[in-house]
Amino acid sequence: MIYLYCLLQPASDPPPGLAGVDDLAVHLEDLGDVGAWVSDVPASTLEHSVNRVRAHDRVIRRAMADGTPIPARFGQIVRDRDALASAVAARRDLLIRCFDAVRGAVEMTIRWQVRPAEECQVPTGGVVGGSEGAGRAYLLAIAEEHRRERNVLAAGTTMRERIQGAVGSLARAEAYRGATAANPVATVSHLVPREMVGRYRSAVGLLGASAGVELRVSGPWAPYSFAELNP
Amino acid sequence: MTDPDLPLNDAEEVELSDLLSHVLDKGVVITGDVVISVAGIDLIAVSLSVLISALETIERKHASISGQLPYARDLSVLPPATGE
């Protein structure tokens, strides 16, 4: 069984002694014009743990020292080298396009807590007891829930647009995950050329200070959010 | 999660949440049977609740240091909360 960390183009060997999940040795599977950093694992599934997740990312970060890998999602295990080669070959065109898109860039991620301008209160006057009052209260509660959802969505979108205005010229692409009332943390990731990372951090810092918003920047990451193989 | 390096402080929790959301939820998928991604949902959910709590704590600390509420200046740029 082979555990996959990332794909590279051109293929290059990992440094001697590089350890991955469960301290297993990492080695290269050369698949022609694409390489894969992998470990041999004893089972077809790998239970997640924080240490294993960290090990997965550590291997990918090491690959970033030599270029821009396409990071694999955690937990992908294939039967053997032939299965890996077959899976890569079936997506070769999309992979090559993805390599071209991310080359020389890293992912920077901003997260912030979305706070609507105000908590909306739906008027509840006139609600009386009995089944009619209960029905009205139920409908008002649903309306309030929808209103809150829209406010969170709008507040997140507003800040996203401000961020785009501040760093859009420094980024090749953007991936946004909006907040909801249940999950009020919004996330936006940018694909940023390596040489632009310092300017990117400065721009986000200035925006956060001027807006009074805690914009938390993390990165550089491998381009996890930009490794979708969309036709 | 039974890793020995827990518990973490707020900043470390946020960092861990960042890590989990990237590694478990994103990245290329070239095999059709990523069994772990199904199991990983739990870890992401746990990570998210930890993240929200940690961010709130960090913001409260910043607010107490600066003597002002965070977001106070941001209210003017947010859309009116009419919901219409």
Side-chain angles (χ1 to χ4, degrees):
Chain A
M1 298 289 178
I2 293 177
Y3 180 86
L4 175 66
Y5 299 97
C6 59
L7 301 169
L8 307 99
Q9 187 196 50
S12 62
D13 282 304
L18 180 64
V21 293
D22 298 345
D23 288 328
L24 294 166
V26 178
H27 68 272
L28 169 71
E29 287 291 353
D30 195 336
L31 308 170
D33 56 345
V34 173
W37 282 12
V38 302
S39 287
D40 294 325
V41 291
S44 60
T45 60
L46 193 69
E47 194 168 327
H48 64 263
S49 74
V50 173
N51 282 343
R52 283 173 170 161
V53 168
R54 283 192 166 127
H56 180 94
D57 186 60
R58 189 170 58 242
V59 170
I60 293 169
R61 285 182 181 279
R62 181 59 189 82
M64 288 173 70
D66 303 325
T68 306
I70 295 179
R73 188 170 303 184
F74 181 86
Q76 291 182 77
I77 296 174
V78 293
R79 188 180 62 256
D80 53 24
R81 185 191 182 283
D82 288 346
L84 178 63
S86 173
V88 168
R91 298 160 179 82
R92 183 167 300 275
D93 290 347
L94 294 174
L95 284 169
I96 298 303
R97 200 183 309 164
C98 189
F99 275 119
D100 289 342
V102 302
R103 186 166 289 116
V106 295
E107 176 175 334
M108 300 297 290
T109 297
I110 306 170
R111 298 175 104 171
W112 72 99
Q113 247 189 320
V114 174
R115 313 233 173 178
E118 60 183 85
E119 286 296 324
C120 292
Q121 297 296 324
V122 175
T124 55
V127 175
V128 296
S131 59
E132 186 179 336
R136 177 175 164 77
Y138 173 73
L139 291 175
L140 285 170
I142 291 177
E144 169 66 10
E145 191 177 317
H146 287 187
R147 191 187 302 260
R148 188 175 295 125
E149 198 70 54
R150 283 197 299 270
N151 286 345
V152 170
L153 188 66
T157 301
T158 298
M159 181 50 66
R160 176 198 183 182
E161 290 170 355
R162 295 190 71 181
I163 292 171
Q164 184 65 16
V167 303
S169 63
L170 306 174
R172 289 185 197 166
E174 177 209 61
Y176 177 65
R177 177 173 290 182
T180 63
N183 167 22
V185 177
T187 304
V188 63
S189 293
H190 293 102
L191 188 63
V192 180
R194 287 171 185 254
E195 65 274 16
M196 296 290 190
V197 168
R199 289 177 60 189
Y200 179 93
R201 284 188 180 281
S202 299
V204 176
L206 286 172
L207 175 61
S210 68
V213 176
E214 188 82 29
L215 297 175
R216 191 183 180 284
V217 182
S218 68
W221 299 94
Y224 284 97
S225 300
F226 303 94
E228 300 287 337
L229 299 183
N230 298 318
Chain B
M1 294 189 293
T2 57
D3 296 79
D5 50 353
L6 299 176
L8 306 172
N9 64 37
D10 293 326
E12 289 169 334
E13 284 177 344
V14 173
E15 182 184 339
L16 177 58
S17 176
D18 277 332
L19 174 69
L20 296 179
S21 68
H22 279 87
V23 176
L24 293 180
D25 198 29
K26 299 167 186 170
V28 73
V29 176
I30 66 162
T31 63
D33 51 349
V34 186
V35 177
I36 198 72
S37 69
V38 176
I41 290 172
D42 294 337
L43 200 55
I44 293 172
V46 170
S47 156
L48 190 58
S49 63
V50 167
L51 170 70
I52 293 169
S53 169
L55 284 177
E56 286 176 343
T57 304
I58 290 171
E59 286 168 7
R60 277 199 302 274
K61 287 175 182 172
H62 286 187
S64 65
I65 291 171
S66 64
Q68 63 178 2
L69 289 172
Y71 301 96
R73 280 177 290 168
D74 193 51
L75 297 180
S76 62
V77 302
L78 295 174
T82 61
E84 300 303 325

